Structure formats: C-alpha cells, structure tokens
Amino acid sequence: MSTRKYMLGNAAIARGIVEGGGQVISGYPGTPSSEIVDTLASMDQRDFYVEWSVNEKVALEVAAGAAMAGVRSVVTMKHVGLNVAADPFMTLTYMGVKGGMVVIVADDPGCHSSQNEQDTRRYADFGLVPCLDPATPQEAKDMIPYAFELSEKFEMPVIFRPTTRISHGKSDIELGSVRQERAEANFEKMPERWVMIPKHARIRHPHVLKIQDDIKKYVEDSAWNELSLNEGSRIGVISSGIASVYAKEALENLGVEASFLKIGAYPIPEGLVRQMLENSDTVLVIEEMEPIVEDAVKIIAYDSGLDVKILGKSADLVPRDGELNIDICERAIANAFGMDIKESSGYDVDVELPIRPPAMCAGCSHRAAYHAMKKAFGPDAIFPSDIGCYTLGLQSGTVDTTLCMGGSITVASGLYNAGEKSPICCSIGDSTFFHTGMNGLLNAVYNKSNITVALLDNRVTAMTGQQPNPGMGKLATGEPTVEISFEKLCRGLGAEFVELIDPYNLASSEEVFRRAKDFPGTSVVITTQPCVIAAKRAGIKRMPFVVDSEKCTGCKQCVKFGCPAIEFDAKEKKARINSLCTGCSACAQICKFDAISEVKK
Amino acid sequence: MSSDDVAQFNLVISGVGGQGAVLASDIIGRAAVSAGLHVMAAETHGMAQRGGSVINHIRLGCECGSMIPLKGADLLMALEPAEALRYLDFLSEDGVVVMNTVPVYPVTVMSGISNYPEVDDIVDKLKQTHEVSAFDAFELAREAGHPQAMNVVMVGAVSKYLPIPKEILLESIKELVPKKTIDINVKAFELGREMV
C-alpha cells in the first residue's frame, strides 16, 4: 500500500508538524504561508492546539510560551511577518526554549504577493539560530520533525524557511509515521532563563555564541546538506534551497561535469564547503536573493588560505533580486565556466496583449466604500491605505500609500502633522486593524490627528484565503467565540466620531463620510458588508442587475466604477452587465438615467 | 535545450484567476501519482488569483524542481486565448497548444484602457509556430451541464497527450469535483476528449 499523497507544499508542511508531534501551533495569515494553519485547523481530529493569532508578534509569543512549558510549538508567518515579530524573536534566541519550537517564515522571492522580498536567512544569521531551507515539498515535510529535534537538542528556536515555490508547489509526498510521544506542560521557574533582565542577558548572549560551533557540527552532518565531489573536475557549484533543484537541472541540461554541494541547513556547513574548495579552482554559488552562502564561502576560503575563484552575485552572474529559474542558472553556469550556450530566444509574438492586473471582485463592498469616500473627500484628498484586498483600489485612485501592515492610520497622522492642508482619509481592513492598526488609531486620537479612518470591515481576512478574525466571533477551527465590536473598540481607543455604514448604500455612505471629514479630530467610519466570496459560500444570494438598453445613454459612469461585472459594448455604445453580477446595486445607484435595475424574478 | 531527461512530460496550464486552473492541474497531478509517476507542480495563489493572469507548471515523472524552463513544455493548455499567447515562450518548438477560444476581458479592456486582440488573430499567430487545437470549451461545458466545467473539458482535450490512462484521469475527476457534479464533469471530460 503506497503512502504517497499528492499535496500542496503547505499541506505537506502541516503534515510534517503532525508527524513531529507539534502541540501548540499559532500563526497570522500571509501569502505564501497561510495554508499551513488552514490545513491544521480544518482537520477533523486534532490532538494539538491551533490558533490564528491577531498578529505575528502575538503568534510568536504564544508559541514561545508553549515552548517554555516544554511542549513542541510552531509559529507560522510570511517573511515580513518576522519584522513584526522581530522583537520577541531576537530575545527568544537568548532565552532559548525547552520544548522544540519551529518558527516557520515563508519567503516570497519575486514578490508574487508581497511588498518586499527580504531573505529570512539573514534573520537566522542575525538571531544566531539554525535555519532549514527546503528544496522540495517532500524535504519540507521531512525537515519539520528534524527541526523539533534540533530545537530541543540545543534549546534554541529553529527557523524553517520555505519559499513560494515550496509552499505553493505540489508534489507526491511520501508520508512518515506520527510521533506518539507528547510532553506534558510543565513550566519550571528559572528566572535566569525566562526573565531577560540585563544581568541574565549578559550571561545568555555568550552562551548562544558558545554553542554555535556545536550547532554547526550537528547541522553539517544532517541529510539536508549533500556534497557530491567530482574528482575529475576542477569546477564546483554550491547551491541552496529551491535554487539547488534549478542549478542541478541546469547542470544536467548543459552536460557539465562539476562537483555539487547542496545546502539545506544553516549555519553553513564549513567542512563540506572546504572539501569543495580544495577540489576546485572555480566555484559558482547559486542562491536565491541574498549572497549569504556566497559571502560565507569567501570567508571560509580566506580563513583556509585557499586560492579559489568564487563567483556568484558579486560577479553579476546570479541576480540578487527576483526568483531564479533554470534558464538563469544555465546562463550563470555558462558564463562562470566560459561555455557557449545557445540563448533561448522567445517566439516572435507581435500581438499586443492587454495587461491583466488582479482586481477587486464583482460586487466587492470595498469598491462601493471607496466610491462614496472619494466623492465625499474630493480629488485633492490624500488616501493612505494598508494591506489587504482593498489595496487593489490602487486603480480607483483611493490608495495613495501602502507601506506595511497597519501603516495606514499612522502614515495619515504623519502627513497631517507635516502640515498637509488636503483632507486625509485612510483605509484599513478588519483583520489589519486588529493586527497593528489599533495602535495607530490610539496614537492618532491621543495626538489629535485631524484625519478620517475608513475601517473596511468585510467580516473576514479575505486576501489570504478567508481566515476568521476576532471581529467574526469564530475561531480558526470554526468554534464560536466572543465577537469583538469595532464600534466599541474604536470608542475604547478614544475616538469620539465613530459611525457605521452599509457601503452598498452609496448616498448615505457619502453623507457619513462628509460629516467625518468635517469632524475636527480623528473620525472613524466603519463600513460593514461581508466579503462577496464569503457571502457566496454562506449561500447569501441577491438578484443580479440588468441594463435597460433603451434608457442607457452610453455615458460610461457605471463602467468607470470598475466592477468586473460591467462591460461596455463598443459597437452598441451601451453598458452591459455580465454573469459575474452579485447584485450589490451600486451601479444602479450610480446611473443617472435609471437604466439599471434588478432582474425581476 | 531539452528537459526530456529531467521530466517525462511538461505541461503548462494558463488562464485567469477563477477559471479553475488549480482544479485542472490537481486532476492531472493526482492522476499521474496514481499512475505511478512523480509529480512536481507550481501554482499561482494569493494576489494573482483575483482575476489576474495565472500559470501552473506541472511536470510528470519529474525528480527535479517544479519550474519548467523556457521552451521546455510539451503542451500548453490555455483556458483563455490571450493567456495562451502570454505564456507561449514556455512551449517547446514541437509542443502543442490546446486552448479555449472564449476570452475573459480584463478590467483594463472593459474600461477602455487597453484593447483585446481579435481571437482569430491570436489563433493565427499561434498556428504560425505550433500545432494548435482551439475550440469553444464553454459551449461544450454548457452542453455537459454547466459552464463551470470548462476546465474539465480542457482536461479531457489534453488527455490524449498525457502519459496517464484515461480511466485514471476519470477516477481523479470523480474524487476531486463536488459529488453532485460528477456526471456533468465526466461528460465534460468526454466532450473535450473528442475535440483533439
């Protein structure tokens, strides 16, 4: 009986957590990491605790607390999430853990769904913790039980860093056995470990430095680092993580005879690198993003007195930005070792293709809220925004800034305090408000920022795949819990102008936004309407709308609204509503000629 | 430059977020595993799904990475005409295009910012360099019972090229689609298979 199963990389990672006996798993959604907790939370039978936390700092601390109690814990996030969690992370490395703790940080080279493409391996180096960098979904799953063991052996948290191509890759996975042993929670009072006052920190820092050599030796011999020396060749390629599969394929395609070192576990395996260097005259380092391996290899060569040419990013052969692929690796190898390759030229396609940017869904309430907001605030207003589906409002002119999670209200305050005379209205979603927006509102109210905050509550964390949040009264597992009221929360943070609107009612929404604009001080407008995807899944149905071509004058006001359900028939010069219509009625309210109406039953 | 030694069969699926490219690649990937092949696939999730352009790579009988090199695919299965042309560079010189001819207009076209080329021009362009099977897969899906089964029509259409027995693909469809739509999807598969 085969145990091979076709799985998403993140589902394989979730399986690795189960096989490794993870007991407390926390996380904050973020592409490409979200499906790990999604998978665990949707399992029918669970012998572990799993939660969506309100942000990554919170999530990391929850997992750290569990690890202090001696149980195996995991925290998941996307790469930029570790910036939010960096404060506890950088001190947790001094404290260490008792139960194994794996910090899963999914990187996104190429910015498929991210605002930057920082390399988490830098954080591992910064925090002096081991890092595992899988090359395939299978390896990703297999690394998790090892990560728990490694963490427990050295009492250190371990970073596990998949990239988009691992997390959102799919492969047939050989399942392993599930560890049966579960630690009982048993928090031991050890102030010198768990209370990081200066006196204790000054003892723990040298301790962490001291164990680095032992960690290095242990990790070097792991299965994740693999050296294949080619005695007949004086060239070598060192590659890491996902890049190693591209590099290997490129070498095969080119028929190059070379030694090959694949690195999957950090700190860098110095002994293996040294063997590679001793066997080579020229070594090419192929890694995605930062030159972490490359710089380490140069240091090892220098320290060992080995005169080897080391190429990579420094010789401009391997790019430091974006994703790598087989074609880039082939070019890098050919250039490094002086080979000729036929440049693969594309086909001559002289047809201009329209760009297809992602857009808000048909009937999305954010579009309607933005419409009312823009009308009330006028074309000169400044619209700082945040991270979520509503960032797609960029095309509608209501997203003037997007810095990071929670960076809308705060940037708005800064603009105001800089002396901007234009009205300022920022937008932030429900989950992002809980994440780090709340602090910004508190700060704005406290410091008297005269700004308006549009809190776009679509009743779910939509962008990352419909995860629950504290505003919904539902846990990650679906279990009911307290439903946090945004109105009470904003009032609790000191806001005096707090009004709720139905964004599908354009006129009354605009009226409330106008009053919010006129309010001297920080005003909050909460727009409430469920995400259309969630509403569809919940079985909420509205009648679609239709254009009366007799009445339509072709003025395009509805088309400019930008809803994917509204098309313009260029031949007839009339608007048309397609099958995507979810019946929000916004276009009917926009039409000045009464040409759009609900389909009669 | 060939990837034949690395993977037995390289398939690129392109389309628009929401058309069911992920389900189509799941059906094929899962069936390939049942047929005893290793599979490596890469999908578009997240931001790009909201009506954006999507591409999935599927490599059957593959022990390496999931990304197909330029001109490395044996087959390009396009759920939308413009998305066929957009990813043509992944197709090998003797590769085959199987495409749905019904366009999905991007918001940029509907609001008049950019133009959508004539579908016939797209097909002609593809035919200049490759063998092309182009047909209205939506119509076939409607005939099978539901327009949403368009992706499964396309799986049926490419099925003759895949190194996977038909019965195993049908098993995979039955396991992956919602129970009450099994009959529609099986018919959609059959109608697609007749087209190529």
Side-chain angles (χ1 to χ4, degrees), chain A residues 4 35 96 110 137 145 149 204 260 264 283 341 350 395 435 478:
Chain A
R4 299 192 83 85
E35 298 86 354
E149 282 161 32
R204 291 300 296 181
F260 189 75
V283 165
I341 54 162
D350 54 359
Q395 276 104 354
H435 180 278

Side-chain angles (χ1 to χ4, degrees), chain A residues 61 73 114 119 124 135 177 203 219 221 238 299 307-308 321 326 347 366 400 443 446 462 504 510 552 571 590:
Chain A
E61 289 159 356
S73 72
S114 306
D119 187 332
S177 55
I203 294 167
V219 167
D221 296 333
I238 302 179
I299 292 169
D307 185 22
V308 179
D321 63 312
I326 295 152
Y347 301 103
H366 295 332
D400 290 332
N443 187 68
Y446 169 61
Y504 285 163
E510 190 185 326
C552 178
K571 282 180 203 137
I590 289 169

Side-chain angles (χ1 to χ4, degrees), chain B residues 173-189:
Chain B
I173 289 170
K174 288 174 192 165
E175 277 171 45
L176 288 170
V177 302
K179 285 237 154 31
K180 54 182 181 183
T181 68
I182 287 179
D183 291 345
I184 293 172
N185 282 294
V186 168
K187 192 165 178 206
F189 176 90

Side-chain angles (χ1 to χ4, degrees), chain A residues 325-344:
Chain A
N325 58 40
I326 295 152
D327 300 288
I328 293 173
C329 291
E330 284 184 4
R331 263 198 307 277
I333 292 165
N335 290 334
F337 305 123
M339 301 164 57
D340 285 326
I341 54 162
K342 202 177 94 207
E343 276 290 322
S344 175

Side-chain angles (χ1 to χ4, degrees), chain B residues 64-180:
Chain B
C64 245
S66 57
M67 304 293 285
I68 297 169
L70 292 177
K71 292 195 176 176
D74 299 290
L75 185 65
L76 170 60
M77 164 177 155
L79 303 178
E80 204 275 347
E83 300 311 313
L85 207 49
R86 200 185 302 279
Y87 297 107
L88 184 65
D89 283 348
F90 281 104
L91 192 60
S92 72
E93 276 158 22
D94 51 4
V96 177
V97 182
V98 178
M99 64 179 280
N100 171 32
T101 50
V102 183
V104 176
Y105 298 114
V107 178
T108 49
V109 169
M110 292 187 329
S111 52
I113 299 169
S114 48
N115 290 314
Y116 195 97
E118 291 295 325
V119 174
D120 287 346
D121 291 349
I122 293 177
V123 175
D124 286 348
K125 200 77 216 170
L126 293 167
K127 280 186 173 163
Q128 281 175 18
T129 49
H130 289 88
E131 185 188 325
V132 180
S133 292
F135 53 91
D136 183 337
F138 266 112
E139 191 47 47
L140 293 175
R142 247 176 248 123
E143 196 183 324
H146 202 285
Q148 246 183 351
M150 185 274 286
N151 54 352
V152 177
V153 170
M154 294 300 291
V155 172
V158 302
S159 63
K160 280 186 186 164
Y161 295 100
L162 302 174
I164 306 168
K166 180 187 163 188
E167 295 67 38
I168 296 184
L169 280 164
L170 280 169
E171 273 316 302
S172 184
I173 289 170
K174 288 174 192 165
E175 277 171 45
L176 288 170
V177 302
K179 285 237 154 31
K180 54 182 181 183

